[in-house]
Amino acid sequence: MSVLTSAAVTAPERMSPRHKLILTLLLGAQFMLAIDFSILNVALPVVGRGLGFGLGQLQWIATAFALPAAGFTLLFGRVADLAGRRRMLLAGMALLAAGSLVGGLAASPGILLAGRVLQGLATAIATPAALSLLTTSFPEGPLRTRALGLSGALMSAGFTVGAVLGGVLTDLLSWRWAFLVNVPVAVLILAVTPALVAESRSRDGARLDVPGAVTVTGGLLALVYGITTAGQHGWGDPVALAALAAAAVLLVAFVLVERRSPAPLAPLNVLTRRSVSWGNAGGFVAFATETSLVFLMTLYLQQVLDFSPLTTGLALGVLGAGTFAGGVAAPRIMGRFGGRATLVGGLVLQAAATAALLGLGAERSALPLMLAATAIGGFGNLVAIVAFMGTATSGLPDGEQGLATGLATMTQQVAITLGIPVMSAVATAHASVLGGVHAATLVNALIAVAGGALVGLFLRRS
């Protein structure tokens, strides 16, 4: 029996009114942060025309957010353990409000990119803090599984909702509202959090591992930059290769530093736990494949079927509905089958639904197939994500929840960042858009089923 299901025997099964308020607050913060990953995706051409971005510069609007969001998450997850998780959540929300104002009022490309960098840093600060507050506010067992199920549903659905909301705001108002919509929500969270959420931090007296922080942050930044550059310019690009080589050196150095550090940023005994390592591996596959599939379907709807940004966003809303349903159902599935079987089953269902998308053609008559397959795949994806979150954070003391949730958040953000350029490179290698979408969709399905097989093989039952 898994740790999650065995804990269910003694843990209370009903949330108190205060628990519900805390859950609503933390889920709202996480949902808003998840939306920011994709809210500008369908609006990039409009933003480019409005501020004078060249075609080759548009990808930096996404990259300027993704680099700090992925690179600094593990560091700030550990800082939250030491300095206080509520304090870091509040700092992240304040920075998000500031970055959103800068981006929404930008009059030049440089100022807009500065706003996106601030938003990315805010995400790296606030997301692991909010998730670790969630895990420390609910005891391990049914309550935590239910909370993580809703969290996973909203975090994953946020990527799709961001595309829908971005299309609506751009068509009806202005792309600037894709930034400005964050400000009142962040201010509300800043006002309410101190009254609802108690401060939480590690009591072990450890200090921050500065050499570990420098090497892992530098390595992740170089990795994300290298793969993003390779996706844009090709895998033979010298800048991309240099960045990937630097990433390899820095991440190896990080492992060596952690072996000798008296207070490691990420203790190797935690990283090598099968629940942590293989739980995160399954989560990486789930996030990288599904978010890049959203990109591929956006490409298909706009460039093959000639849909508008608004119609594209609404069509992708069906996928969002599937993900939400998966997040709601996942805790019950986990309670019955355990984390390992749920994670594997979710990935396999997602892979099968993705493979069905190979039947898409150039006519709009294929739209019902796309809607049905993406809804089913979204359901499977969210079942896998909830199982990943539960598995990767289970069996650890509260003092290490910031690290565990920082690792889980880093997995999510690096996967989202890397999945799109890889699938984009596969798709653009073909002469036709439809042929490229088919090729990348096949690769996507194969990665999902391979990830499920590896997790099933190596994630031992607890």
Side-chain angles (χ1 to χ4, degrees):
M1 181 181 294
S2 72
V3 173
L4 283 171
T5 53
S6 63
V9 176
T10 57
E13 295 187 3
R14 302 181 72 83
M15 290 187 187
S16 67
R18 185 176 183 83
H19 271 138
K20 292 178 181 178
L21 288 173
I22 293 171
L23 182 63
T24 300
L25 175 72
L26 295 176
L27 292 183
Q30 290 177 290
F31 187 57
M32 182 178 64
L33 293 164
I35 283 175
D36 283 338
F37 268 98
S38 60
I39 194 168
L40 283 175
N41 284 4
V42 299
L44 288 181
V46 180
V47 176
R49 289 193 298 270
L51 291 183
F53 279 89
L55 185 61
Q57 297 174 312
L58 285 179
Q59 60 100 16
W60 282 104
I61 297 175
T63 303
F65 179 93
L67 277 171
F72 288 93
T73 295
L74 184 59
L75 168 61
F76 285 123
R78 186 55 177 161
V79 170
D81 276 343
L82 304 178
R85 292 151 187 151
R86 187 182 71 178
R87 179 179 299 172
M88 294 303 288
L89 175 61
L90 294 174
M93 287 296 106
L95 189 60
L96 180 69
S100 298
L101 273 175
V102 170
L105 301 176
S108 68
I111 294 176
L112 184 134
L113 292 178
R116 287 296 274 170
V117 169
L118 292 177
Q119 285 185 319
L121 277 173
T123 299
I125 294 169
T127 302
L131 189 55
S132 57
L133 283 170
L134 196 68
T135 58
T136 55
S137 297
F138 295 88
E140 189 170 344
L143 287 187
R144 184 184 291 181
T145 302
R146 194 180 312 159
L148 287 172
L150 292 171
S151 172
L154 290 178
M155 288 172 72
S156 183
F159 190 86
T160 304
V161 171
V164 177
L165 186 60
V168 171
L169 291 174
T170 301
D171 275 12
L172 300 183
L173 296 172
S174 163
W175 62 263
R176 295 182 183 276
W177 282 99
F179 285 95
L180 297 176
V181 71
N182 289 325
V183 178
V185 181
V187 170
L188 178 63
I189 292 171
L190 284 168
V192 174
T193 297
L196 269 184
V197 182
E199 184 57 282
S200 168
R201 61 167 59 89
S202 172
R203 303 294 181 184
D204 59 9
R207 296 180 179 180
L208 183 64
D209 173 21
V210 176
V214 170
T215 51
V216 73
T217 302
L220 289 172
L221 287 171
L223 177 66
V224 172
Y225 180 78
I227 292 188
T228 302
T229 303
Q232 182 185 8
H233 298 295
W235 293 93
D237 181 73
V239 174
L241 292 176
L244 292 174
V249 171
L250 287 167
L251 292 175
V252 169
F254 169 67
V255 173
L256 296 177
V257 166
E258 297 305 275
R259 284 181 175 173
R260 296 173 180 163
S261 174
L265 179 69
L268 295 182
N269 67 314
V270 174
L271 293 178
T272 54
R273 287 176 64 110
R274 290 201 178 199
S275 60
V276 173
S277 59
W278 285 102
N280 277 282
F284 183 91
V285 170
F287 273 107
T289 51
E290 193 69 8
T291 53
S292 60
L293 187 69
V294 172
F295 164 77
L296 293 174
M297 292 302 100
T298 300
L299 197 65
Y300 173 71
L301 290 169
Q302 291 194 12
Q303 296 196 19
V304 178
L305 299 188
D306 199 27
F307 283 175
S308 69
L310 177 58
T311 307
T312 298
L314 293 175
L316 292 173
V318 177
L319 187 153
T323 60
F324 186 81
V328 172
R332 292 185 179 181
I333 298 172
M334 280 187 70
R336 179 166 184 178
F337 298 104
R340 173 177 172 269
T342 304
L343 179 52
V344 173
L347 288 173
V348 171
L349 178 60
Q350 178 193 328
T354 301
L357 294 170
L358 294 172
L360 296 179
E363 302 297 327
R364 294 190 176 187
S365 58
L367 187 61
L369 170 63
M370 195 215 82
L371 296 176
T374 54
I376 295 169
F379 181 93
N381 177 256
L382 239 296
V383 168
I385 285 173
V386 174
F388 139 62
M389 290 288 189
T391 302
T393 59
S394 66
L396 295 172
D398 282 356
E400 291 179 345
Q401 283 299 320
L403 168 62
T405 55
L407 283 168
T409 308
M410 180 194 72
T411 294
Q412 168 197 336
Q413 293 175 351
V414 172
I416 290 172
T417 303
L418 300 188
I420 292 176
V422 170
M423 292 302 161
S424 176
V426 174
T428 54
H430 285 253
S432 71
V433 175
L434 183 59
V437 168
H438 281 163
T441 299
L442 177 60
V443 171
N444 193 297
L446 291 174
I447 291 173
V449 76
L454 290 172
V455 169
L457 183 62
F458 291 108
L459 181 58
R460 185 188 310 156
R461 290 181 181 273
S462 301

